[in-house]
Amino acid sequence: MDLQAKLSTVLGGRTADALRKGLGLLTVEDLLRHYPRRYAERGELTELDTLRVGEQVTVLAEVTKVTVRPMRNRRGSIFEAVISDGRNSISLTFFNQKWREGQLKVGRRGLFAGQVGRFREQLQLTHPEFELLPEGVDDGGLSALEFAGALIPIYPASKSVTSWQLKKSLDIVLESARELPDPIPDAVRDEHGLLGLTDALWSIHRPTSRDDVRRAVERLRFEEAFVLQVVLAQRRAEVMALPATRRVPETSPLLDAFDARLPFELTSGQREVSQAIDEDMARDHPMHRLLQGDVGSGKTVVALRAMLRVVDAGGQAALLAPTEVLAAQHYRSITGLLGPLAERGRLGSPEVATQVALLTGSQRTAQRRSELLDILTGDAGIVVGTHALIQEKVDFNDLALVVVDEQHRFGVEQRAALTAKSRDGSRPHVLVMTATPIPRTVAMTVFGDVDVSTLTELPAGRAVVSTHVVAVSEQPAFVERAWQRAREEVVAGHRVFVVCPRIGDDVDEGAEDDGSVPAGEDDEGVADGRSRAASVRGLAARLADGELSGLRIGTLHGRMTGEDKDDVMRRFADPEAKDPIEVLVSTTVIEVGVDVPQATMIVIVDADRFGISQLHQLRGRVGRGQLPGLCLLMTDSDPESPSRERLDAVASTTDGFALSALDLEMRREGDVLGSVQSGRRSSLRLLEVARHESVILQARESAFAVVAADPELSTSPALSEAVRVLIAQEQADYLERA
Ligand code: ADP
Ligand code: MG
């Protein structure tokens, strides 16, 4: 049977329509993979005290009482049945359906579905859908196949499609699903003692015992991990098949001169990663490596060393940043670190020197043209720009290495970088950097086709950042003290960041488009009854007139032009600036990578509006020089709320990996993967990346072995088909989100 066949070819048109509209189920496979949410046990009724008002529920319960009474103010009758789990009860109400008396008799058991409401302190379902179990179900006198099993599957249902309608449709589809081709090859299945696909689907939909369910879930979960890992293994194999130029300089005068200039010792982690990169780039297929490390762990220096190495080998390197602000900053810090080594062609510059080009969208044409020329001739050994650099097809003399910093769309940009070609058609080596620590299992799931290096230690002597939660309404004196402290920092010659969730106070001036404010809260904040979050413009004006009057306050947000942003950042970061900015009120545009050694304090206003990882990133903006940092998380949230819990967690540790693991636990699965990469999430139904590490590891090992032995999967048509479907789905999801 064709798993990709439309449901309308197997089921009635109306049913197929309802499944599509109600639950988005299109194909036979969609339905077969629509697994029960849980199982009701025949003897065991649903615990009714767990129901909450507003929930859409399906419960198994027994009718304990029925009444019919006339309506009070109108003609007609109300039929009410009380159903019970033995301890608690809820009522079912039907208007003008007196005939229900004949169906819902005391003692009958059944499944009841509807939205939970409340009427006079009593929970109720109004006009619920229901399906009664055959009479005498508890006497064991039942033979019908339908209820032969002790477990009744309860499906994720919708208003228009009930759990038992799903069950009936599945009965039809399962009947014809007798010998499904199995995407897991026999050998792999045997090795891990897994059920075959057909058995697993029958068992998960029609189990006779809890053990059936467990074995089915085990197999289907493994399959999800396995097919995904096969996709990653194939991607990896594809990269390995691409040609790249070995970049092994005979001597490294530029890199040596740079190392000699460095005012600090590399950490052992930095040395190890540099070594791994050198080895990668000495191969004739492209490096494809992710370098992750907490903010301030020294990734940029490692990347710069790799870039200098390829320059020594006669090639060029491109560094791509997600925003113009960051590109400009990278340019400044790289030219700063290189000093005269970046001044090739200038009188008196060392012979080994190279040139660093900056390409931004806001550049003037003449300037841009001259930079493009330097890139084309190869005079510019290092080119810094935004991620658009790759799409714009800038002509390089010999592009050897692409470094992608803080990708916005993981995976996508990294793959785009690989498609860039150098002159002879070979591909550049690619190094991706991220300061968002990615838990191991997520890395394996999302970056399973990439080598991952991690910088775990911060350079020695790094100043500490202490973090405190300031509860605005409970501790007004602390708030006052906080701004006083900000003033003291400025007076001492330091810089202060103030971060707000919003740009302005107009309705359309919501959050930055980076999703920094949880959906539904960005505009009015009425959803949870809170007042609207602080805005950059509003707060900057208030501080200028009040708490921070007399200080030089600047603002920064995503709606400003690249030029303006750059100007503001320069005035804030440069201690020698003519018209300095001392306090920068900003949105999260400062989140990644911004390096201002003089910044000693960051105040995050309405901090509860941000996620854990984001707060950690923001905190990383201070304590970057020798000076200790202070991070204040201001909040008006309820001390008992989950958001306060998040803030306390951030205040309690500076370990980015611990926080990212916590973040993973606290968020829903889809959000985690969704935020890292589009797609992928819809294919994972049973696999939870945070919980099933050993499944992922085992599946990964098997998948890589299968692909190594048979890269085209020619011996497993079913696996090949599953891979095709997964990739198609991922692309569809991606297009939908783009
Ligand atoms: P990241 O990019 O990982 O956030 P950076 O490379 O920007 O970190 O490094 C943060 C700061 O630490 C920079 O000012 C950098 O010059 C400095 N730094 C990097 N490596 C070391 C080291 N081994 N010892 C001391 N300082 C270092
Ligand atoms: Mg950096």
Side-chain angles (χ1 to χ4, degrees), residues 318-349:
L319 171 58
L320 315 184
T323 64
E324 301 227 328
V325 172
L326 287 172
Q329 181 192 292
H330 270 307
Y331 176 79
R332 272 196 307 274
S333 68
I334 286 178
T335 47
L337 282 165
L338 287 172
L341 296 176
E343 294 175 354
R344 174 191 165 124
R346 247 206 237 148
L347 208 60
S349 69

Side-chain angles (χ1 to χ4, degrees), residues 150-382:
L151 298 172
I152 302 169
I154 309 288
Y155 289 97
S158 73
K159 267 208 169 78
S160 54
V161 186
T162 62
S163 177
W164 52 89
Q165 281 166 338
L166 279 158
K167 183 170 177 301
K168 280 181 189 137
S169 298
L170 270 155
D171 283 340
I172 298 168
V173 171
L174 277 170
E175 268 320 309
S176 46
R178 288 295 181 180
E179 268 173 69
L180 299 173
D182 195 333
I184 306 183
D186 296 353
V188 174
R189 228 170 45 220
D190 290 348
E191 185 193 342
H192 298 283
L194 300 170
L195 290 183
L197 178 60
T198 310
D199 285 348
L201 289 173
W202 274 84
S203 292
I204 199 164
H205 290 296
R206 302 292 173 262
T208 51
S209 67
R210 292 277 169 192
D211 202 48
D212 274 1
V213 177
R214 189 187 53 73
R215 304 240 304 150
V217 165
E218 183 183 53
R219 134 81 213 206
L220 295 167
R221 179 179 290 147
F222 184 93
E223 181 185 331
E224 288 175 11
F226 177 73
V227 175
L228 182 54
Q229 291 297 332
V230 167
V231 171
L232 295 170
Q234 282 189 315
R235 274 192 194 146
R236 167 137 196 119
E238 277 165 32
V239 172
M240 291 304 174
L242 293 173
T245 307
R246 300 168 194 266
R247 303 290 174 173
V248 195
E250 273 161 27
T251 58
S252 311
L254 181 57
L255 181 56
D256 292 344
F258 172 75
D259 283 345
R261 266 183 59 85
L262 263 187
F264 47 74
E265 291 272 308
L266 295 176
T267 64
S268 61
Q270 285 172 316
R271 273 199 301 272
E272 275 162 35
V273 178
S274 283
Q275 174 84 27
I277 292 173
D278 289 352
E279 283 166 20
D280 285 353
M281 295 195 305
R283 301 207 177 96
D284 55 12
H285 52 75
M287 166 169 73
H288 201 201
R289 184 172 288 277
L290 173 75
L291 171 54
Q292 57 169 338
D294 219 335
V295 279
S297 59
K299 297 180 295 297
T300 309
V301 175
V302 171
L304 182 51
R305 293 189 77 250
M307 294 192 267
L308 296 175
R309 189 172 166 87
V310 303
V311 173
D312 274 329
Q316 289 168 293
L319 171 58
L320 315 184
T323 64
E324 301 227 328
V325 172
L326 287 172
Q329 181 192 292
H330 270 307
Y331 176 79
R332 272 196 307 274
S333 68
I334 286 178
T335 47
L337 282 165
L338 287 172
L341 296 176
E343 294 175 354
R344 174 191 165 124
R346 247 206 237 148
L347 208 60
S349 69
E351 204 176 315
V352 297
T354 185
Q355 232 171 286
V356 182
L358 174 67
L359 274 187
T360 70
S362 49
Q363 246 158 2
R364 292 184 211 298
T365 321
Q367 168 83 27
R368 189 174 173 83
R369 203 173 289 146
S370 123
E371 301 277 22
L372 285 171
L373 190 64
D374 289 341
I375 296 168
L376 182 62
T377 59
D379 283 346
I382 294 175

Side-chain angles (χ1 to χ4, degrees), residues 52-206:
R52 280 172 313 181
V53 173
E55 244 181 341
Q56 192 76 31
V57 298
T58 304
V59 299
L60 177 58
E62 183 171 312
V63 180
T64 54
K65 189 177 155 199
V66 294
T67 46
V68 184
R69 54 190 154 85
M71 275 196 235
R72 239 181 244 157
N73 304 323
R74 274 184 287 159
R75 285 203 317 152
S77 67
I78 299 175
F79 172 76
E80 189 187 25
V82 175
I83 57 171
S84 160
D85 61 3
R87 272 167 300 152
N88 297 288
S89 60
I90 62 177
S91 76
L92 315 178
T93 319
F94 298 88
F95 298 103
N96 291 329
Q97 297 192 359
K98 194 170 175 317
W99 50 273
R100 294 275 181 201
E101 260 182 307
Q103 293 179 314
L104 290 168
K105 296 206 177 111
V106 170
R108 289 295 298 266
R109 290 182 168 199
L111 290 170
F112 301 87
Q115 196 175 24
V116 182
R118 191 199 299 273
F119 183 67
R120 295 195 183 135
E121 292 310 302
Q122 166 78 40
L123 292 187
Q124 67 169 16
L125 303 177
T126 303
H127 283 214
E129 302 277 342
F130 62 90
E131 169 103 334
L132 295 173
L133 303 191
E135 259 168 308
V137 110
D138 282 327
D139 311 332
L142 193 74
S143 59
L145 174 71
E146 253 198 318
F147 290 105
L151 298 172
I152 302 169
I154 309 288
Y155 289 97
S158 73
K159 267 208 169 78
S160 54
V161 186
T162 62
S163 177
W164 52 89
Q165 281 166 338
L166 279 158
K167 183 170 177 301
K168 280 181 189 137
S169 298
L170 270 155
D171 283 340
I172 298 168
V173 171
L174 277 170
E175 268 320 309
S176 46
R178 288 295 181 180
E179 268 173 69
L180 299 173
D182 195 333
I184 306 183
D186 296 353
V188 174
R189 228 170 45 220
D190 290 348
E191 185 193 342
H192 298 283
L194 300 170
L195 290 183
L197 178 60
T198 310
D199 285 348
L201 289 173
W202 274 84
S203 292
I204 199 164
H205 290 296
R206 302 292 173 262

Side-chain angles (χ1 to χ4, degrees), residues 469 607-608 615 633 635 637 643-652:
V469 177
D608 48 283
L615 291 169
L633 307 173
T635 178
S637 66
S643 50
R644 182 68 70 87
E645 205 180 313
R646 285 206 305 267
L647 300 185
D648 289 338
V650 173
S652 70

